[in-house]
Amino acid sequence: MRNLITHIRQSLSWKLSLGILFMAIPIFVLSIGFLFIHSRDKVKKEATEHAASVVNTTMQHITRYMDIVETATDVNDWEVTAHLDPDSILAISRGIVILNGHIDGCSISTEPNIFPKYGRNFSAYTVREADTITTVIEEPYEYFEKVWYKTPHLQGKPCWVVYYDESDSLALTLDGMVASYSKPLYNEDKHFVGVISTDLSLIRLSKIITSETPYEGSYFMMTGSEGHYLVHPDSTQLFVNTIYSDATPHENADIFALGHEMTTGKTGSMSVRINGEQCLVSYQAVPGTDWSLALVCSERSILRSYNRLNYIIAPLFVIGFILVLLFSSITVAQAIHPLYRLAGNLQRIATGHYDEQIPRDPRHDVVSRLQNSFATMQESLNDHVNEIRQMNEEALRRNEELVHTSELAKASSQQKSLFIQNVSHQIRTPLNIIMGFAQVLKESKGLMPDEEARSITDMMRHNAVLLNRMVLMLADCSARGTTEELYANKNEEVSCLEVAQESIRQAHENYPDIDFRLTVDLPDDFSITANRHYLMLSVRELLINAANHSTGGYAWLRVTEYLSKIRFIVQDEGPGIPKEEIDRMFEMFTKVNDLSEGLGLGLALTKRHIQNLGGNVFLDENYTEGCRMIIELPKVS
């Protein structure tokens, strides 16, 4: 940061550009701020109008349903008073529900003792349940104090009432909360004889109201005359809590103001904080009732698309500043380009970049002559510096070659010493055994049991064979000549069975205690084109390695055909080859166990011989019981 400030202080173009930018920032910020405030107010105004429109549309749906209920009641009340008998009352109650699919129930209840046959009370009730309509004479109960009966009786006119249907006390009721249009009945003498009450389930009404909401998370609610919730997304609030519940006049003055507006039957919109979130509430009185319908919309949802605009405007705001800064910087830089370019070139030359090229200026002013003079001076310096650099590069290259040669010589010397030590150890051990047993035989001549003597001679013979094998490997490793010379007879016909049998015989001579097993999946006369000597040498070497590392007491050779190849598979039961050694197992002078017998040449020579015969040698890594080596050669038909 400090370097950036220093750079700005020293740069004339940056100073001028920042001055232009600081002049543009206040104008740009004020313009964007005014646009944001105006846009926010406009979005909220449109949201208020949209919410009021949705409330008005929903109210039309509600009043349409209520008009249906009122009309069905008004056109049938005269018939009840004209035919005031139980059968007619039952038929009229049932007819109102059947003929009006939006009506959920209808009860016609009379004053006490109108029909002595039925006792003091008589109430016919029809209820719609799914696709079934049931009409009954209700069981006797004191319905005279029920709100749907008492209210129109006292007021002497039709009215809408809301109550909770006591489904647990009557045999047949409309389950849940009910909005009922109740109308008093008068006979020809203007005497009150009963009430006809047509029911609309508030569950159905809630579905009508909540069928469409304009914003995510918005919801409708309906309150009664005292602010009780008649419709609310939280059903536990219905008939139990009011809009004033859990609110205090001091902390929730806006809630109380909204409740007063709704309970007094007014229409409008307010911004209210509900459950800790600022909301827009649009409300409207339900005609003909003391109810009020309100739509609650979270301002967060209303302004969601507007707020998303911030994620676009903010980057554009930053990009705009950057572009202003960039364009002003480019314009100023171009105006003072000659001085700026010359100062930069001289600065780089001063810090050691002597190859920095100062361009020549074709103009003839003072700055151009100064720049051209520096360019001439730099060309002279560059010639001298290039000569020194070439000398240094040549010296560095020769030093690197000497270091590389020295490292190769050191590695070769170390490898030679290790190999000589290994050869000395591998030859000295069997020689010591042979010489020691020879001395024992000489001193114990005629005194040693035949069986022990045979064991000693077998041991001597085994070590002599090891010596011979190592000598042959050394001779094979140091063989000189081209591939064509060494493998001159690689096109001779070689019997697979004979090679396998002879290899097992020779391996058995080295390890008489190992059970060598042979499986040949080919005809006895099957032959391939190869060099018999090197093929048998390779197979025998794999068998000897298997016998040397087998812990199961056996080595198994299998000759089989695989696609267009012939495979010699040598398998043993032992520790196998560690995964970390697999990649280097075919390298010269490499042994998995430095304490084991051998010079580390067997697998490497086998790989070389088989590849020169046109085949390959590889380890079967899927075999986990020991080691399984595979020689693969092309088949000749």
Side-chain angles (χ1 to χ4, degrees), residues 63-256:
T63 54
R64 182 164 61 87
Y65 279 90
M66 294 174 66
D67 288 344
I68 292 173
V69 174
E70 292 178 4
T71 301
T73 305
D74 293 340
V75 300
N76 286 282
D77 63 338
W78 68 271
E79 192 172 357
V80 176
T81 56
H83 305 87
L84 194 62
D85 61 82
D87 292 337
S88 297
I89 290 175
L90 287 170
I92 294 170
S93 173
R94 184 175 182 84
I96 290 175
V97 177
I98 290 176
L99 296 176
N100 298 276
H102 299 298
I103 294 177
D104 297 294
C106 178
S107 66
I108 302 175
S109 307
T110 64
E111 279 287 271
N113 302 314
I114 292 292
F115 304 113
K117 177 182 177 181
Y118 294 95
R120 182 172 181 270
N121 305 330
F122 179 83
S123 177
Y125 186 55
T126 301
V127 64
R128 183 191 305 275
E129 294 179 326
D131 295 331
T132 303
I133 296 176
T134 306
T135 303
V136 297
I137 297 175
E138 293 191 270
E139 298 177 2
Y141 75 102
E142 292 297 316
Y143 54 78
F144 308 106
E145 297 299 322
K146 296 296 182 180
V147 64
W148 54 268
Y149 190 95
K150 183 177 181 180
T151 301
H153 185 191
L154 294 177
Q155 295 181 357
K157 62 180 181 179
C159 61
W160 279 92
V161 295
V162 177
Y163 63 95
Y164 190 86
D165 204 355
E166 299 177 351
S167 57
D168 56 346
S169 63
L170 301 177
L172 183 67
T173 60
L174 183 62
D175 188 19
M177 295 162 289
V178 178
S180 182
Y181 178 70
S182 301
K183 185 174 184 179
L185 299 174
Y186 297 92
N187 59 15
E188 295 178 354
D189 299 329
K190 305 300 181 180
H191 292 152
F192 177 76
V193 294
V195 171
I196 177 171
S197 179
T198 309
D199 301 332
L200 178 63
S201 170
L202 278 184
I203 296 177
R204 179 194 292 271
L205 193 61
S206 296
K207 291 180 180 178
I208 298 170
I209 294 173
T210 60
S211 61
E212 180 182 356
T213 54
Y215 302 104
E216 182 180 354
S218 60
Y219 61 91
F220 280 97
M221 66 179 182
M222 183 183 288
T223 60
S225 59
E226 297 180 358
H228 284 92
Y229 290 117
L230 307 181
V231 174
H232 195 277
D234 184 3
S235 59
T236 61
Q237 304 282 338
L238 302 180
F239 286 92
V240 178
N241 292 332
T242 68
I243 194 172
Y244 308 108
S245 299
D246 301 325
T248 60
H250 177 67
E251 296 181 356
N252 308 103
D254 52 351
I255 295 290
F256 278 83

Side-chain angles (χ1 to χ4, degrees), residues 430-461:
L431 278 177
N432 289 338
I433 293 173
I434 293 172
M435 292 174 64
F437 280 137
Q439 184 66 27
V440 171
L441 290 175
K442 180 179 178 182
E443 294 176 356
S444 304
K445 186 176 182 181
L447 302 176
M448 184 180 297
D450 293 342
E451 184 177 351
E452 186 175 350
R454 280 195 302 274
S455 175
I456 290 175
T457 56
D458 290 342
M459 182 65 70
M460 294 174 66
R461 182 176 179 280

